[in-house]
Amino acid sequence: MNQRCKLLLMAAGLSLLSFTGQAAQELDKTVAQVNNDVVLESQLNALVAQVRQNARAAGQPLPDEQRLRKQALERLILESLQLQLAERLGLRITDTQLEQALNNIAKGEGKTPEQLRASAAANGQSWATFREQIRNDILMSELARNQVRRRINISDQEIKQVVQMIQEQGQGSARYRVGNILLPLPGNPSSDQLQQANSQARQLLAELKQGADFRKLAIASSAGPKALEGGDWGMMSLGEMPSLFSEAVRNHAKGDIIGPIRSGAGLHILTILDMEGSQQQAVQALEVRARHILIKPSVILSEEKAQVMLNDFARSIRNGNATMAQLAEQYSDDTGSAVNGGDLGWASPELYVSSFRDTVTQLQPGELSKPFRSEHGWHLVRVEEKRLQDATEQATEQRAYQLIFNRRFNEEVQTWLDELKDQAYIRIVDNQLSNGDS
């Protein structure tokens, strides 16, 4: 009798486990396979909910549920491809880098870290989920910069042309908030593909002329990287935006609908969501002269030991037991500056990686930083001097270079993402969200 009861209980337990497994599968099923990764329905639901919340806060209308979910799934597929590539390349964001980024986000929003945590909770996100999303955003940004910047070559002649444009227009030239709807086309589209894209463009233009909301149509129909933001590329000067945009919006007014315009990526419909008039003003550029010690973690030297080393160095410097120059010469892994006692010379903070830039910008002359992490390793930095320089010819050339780089970067990122997707195995499991497998 006891044996029979045990068997019945085991059978009941197995049935319960089977039922629980089926229920869990139903609650969080796979909606897409991306190479060796999957996109889960819970991820899709979370992103859709976030977009809806942002839209409500901005008073922004949204397309129907199916179109919104298809756009959200496209975003998650591209994120998965980027994170997989980052893992293959060994790129990662340490907890220290993440904490620094979170502190910078809080400062930028005028909040304390505790208030930032409360804000995430108020938006329906757990702190762990919010942290992981920020970590992934930083990682994808670093990946894009590493992968795309090697594609960008800028000639001296191009810099001279942009310098001339800056001098003619003035440093305070007009800025535009451009909206973009991209209807994608392959590299060598067939006549049927062109006809279909042109037909869709005509339909969208007709809806826009009848008063349809541009952002809503962008969320529903655009294949561009800013689709879930309503196609909004943010405020840019003519020199900063992709050349296709700058040529198109020049001499247009706020609210104008422009296009369709053909590019290598497809057909674009543009609008000017907002614009700021030019304001001529004297331009001064901040320059800093900083000294630093770099310690690179390795198999032998852990992250924790590298941080402890720099804390010990900081105590020695403050106590007068050693100078920063002596320690840099002896221990810094930045061989270029170590021979000069860690002195980096005069430079714009914008030339440094983000964590180093933010640190030297915030430090006062003579102030020693706490140890902090960048993608290069652990740093201890002291700002020796700061100065404001007039926009000299050299500074104007640097600004011209940055304008060209930013424009090319925006153009190349889309091409790189398209290539990444073309080379991947993608299978949409949910037929309602499928546009065809890759």
Side-chain angles (χ1 to χ4, degrees):
M1 184 68 180
N2 289 338
Q3 183 65 23
R4 187 179 177 188
C5 287
K6 287 180 180 178
L7 289 172
L8 288 170
L9 288 169
M10 287 176 64
L14 288 171
S15 298
L16 180 61
L17 285 172
S18 175
F19 174 79
T20 304
Q22 289 173 1
Q25 190 173 16
E26 289 173 4
L27 287 172
D28 199 4
K29 64 181 182 181
T30 296
V31 292
Q33 181 179 350
V34 187
N35 291 333
N36 297 323
D37 191 18
V38 295
V39 177
L40 299 174
E41 189 169 44
S42 61
Q43 294 174 279
L44 180 59
N45 290 340
L47 180 54
V48 169
Q50 183 181 340
V51 172
R52 286 194 177 283
Q53 187 172 40
N54 293 341
R56 279 196 300 271
Q60 169 63 46
L62 288 171
D64 61 74
E65 180 74 8
Q66 185 178 356
R67 289 188 178 187
L68 179 57
R69 289 177 71 82
K70 285 175 71 173
Q71 287 285 43
L73 180 58
E74 179 71 14
R75 172 71 60 87
L76 290 172
I77 287 171
L78 287 174
E79 286 187 3
S80 175
L81 289 171
Q82 292 173 80
L83 294 175
Q84 288 180 64
L85 178 58
E87 185 176 5
R88 291 198 299 272
L89 295 175
L91 297 177
R92 68 189 185 96
I93 303 300
T94 67
D95 288 342
T96 304
Q97 287 173 278
L98 178 59
E99 290 301 327
Q100 289 172 187
L102 289 168
N103 287 334
N104 289 334
I105 291 172
K107 287 179 182 177
E109 296 182 3
K111 299 175 182 175
T112 65
E114 292 74 22
Q115 289 171 329
L116 183 65
R117 183 189 291 258
S119 176
N123 290 331
Q125 279 186 301
S126 70
W127 183 240
T129 301
F130 181 78
R131 279 171 53 89
E132 203 56 32
Q133 183 59 54
I134 296 301
R135 188 196 299 272
N136 288 342
D137 288 344
I138 299 170
L139 184 56
M140 289 187 290
S141 177
E142 291 297 330
L143 175 69
R145 191 173 69 169
N146 290 339
Q147 294 294 302
V148 174
R149 64 183 174 187
R150 68 187 67 176
R151 299 168 176 241
I152 300 172
N153 295 308
I154 300 173
S155 68
D156 292 341
Q157 183 60 35
E158 289 175 289
I159 293 174
K160 289 178 182 177
Q161 289 173 351
V162 175
V163 165
Q164 184 177 356
M165 181 194 74
I166 291 173
Q167 291 170 342
E168 289 174 354
Q169 296 182 353
Q171 295 284 345
S173 60
R175 289 161 58 80
Y176 302 79
R177 183 180 293 277
V178 178
N180 172 43
I181 296 175
L182 169 63
L183 305 178
L185 283 170
N188 294 301
S190 66
S191 58
D192 287 343
Q193 289 170 325
L194 279 171
Q195 186 176 355
Q196 184 178 356
N198 281 316
S199 175
Q200 187 180 4
R202 286 194 296 271
Q203 176 63 33
L204 290 172
L205 286 171
E207 292 180 41
L208 288 167
K209 288 177 182 177
Q210 292 169 8
D213 186 276
F214 188 95
R215 289 183 174 92
K216 179 179 178 180
L217 291 183
I219 293 173
S221 305
S222 179
K226 305 291 185 181
L228 284 180
E229 289 76 34
D232 186 352
W233 279 66
M235 278 291 185
M236 298 180 290
S237 69
L238 291 174
E240 291 172 308
M241 63 183 67
S243 53
L244 176 80
F245 292 8
S246 63
E247 292 299 322
V249 305
R250 197 186 302 270
N251 300 323
H252 277 277
K254 178 180 176 180
D256 285 355
I257 303 298
I258 309 159
I261 303 168
R262 177 82 180 272
S263 78
L267 298 181
H268 300 260
I269 298 173
L270 306 177
T271 190
I272 301 174
L273 298 168
D274 198 5
M275 60 189 300
E276 297 172 349
S278 61
Q279 293 181 347
Q280 300 297 331
Q281 55 185 11
V283 175
Q284 290 185 310
L286 174 66
E287 290 187 340
V288 299
R289 187 169 71 84
R291 191 184 299 273
H292 86 134
I293 301 170
L294 170 66
I295 301 297
K296 294 182 179 180
S298 64
V299 177
I300 301 171
L301 185 66
S302 68
E303 297 276 343
E304 292 75 17
K305 287 182 179 178
Q307 188 177 9
V308 168
M309 254 181 94
L310 289 178
N311 274 320
D312 290 342
F313 290 165
R315 277 193 294 272
S316 295
I317 293 167
R318 291 190 179 102
N319 294 337
N321 296 328
T323 67
M324 193 165 184
Q326 291 169 339
L327 294 171
E329 288 174 4
Q330 187 172 355
Y331 296 103
S332 182
D333 289 325
D334 179 8
T335 54
S337 67
V339 294
N340 297 317
D343 193 343
L344 296 169
W346 286 104
S348 165
E350 297 301 322
L351 297 178
Y352 298 125
V353 295
S354 58
S355 55
F356 201 98
R357 175 200 65 207
D358 294 342
T359 301
V360 298
T361 300
Q362 293 164 11
L363 290 173
Q364 297 302 314
E367 187 178 359
L368 187 66
S369 74
K370 295 178 181 178
F372 65 95
R373 186 69 157 83
S374 79
E375 49 262 55
H376 300 303
W378 282 89
H379 303 264
L380 184 68
V381 62
R382 183 175 68 204
V383 170
E384 304 292 334
E385 298 176 81
K386 286 186 174 183
R387 68 186 181 190
L388 287 173
Q389 289 285 89
D390 289 335
T392 59
E393 183 178 346
Q394 183 179 2
T396 306
E397 288 178 358
Q398 178 58 42
R399 173 166 166 72
Y401 177 90
Q402 198 61 50
L403 287 173
I404 299 169
F405 181 89
N406 291 344
R407 185 180 68 214
R408 294 275 183 82
F409 186 85
N410 288 329
E411 293 169 347
E412 290 293 339
V413 161
Q414 183 62 49
T415 303
W416 170 65
L417 289 174
D418 289 342
E419 292 172 2
L420 202 61
K421 190 177 177 184
D422 289 341
Q423 296 163 7
Y425 172 78
I426 300 169
R427 184 170 70 90
I428 310 299
V429 177
D430 190 329
N431 291 330
Q432 291 184 339
L433 297 172
S434 177
N435 289 320
D437 297 344
S438 300

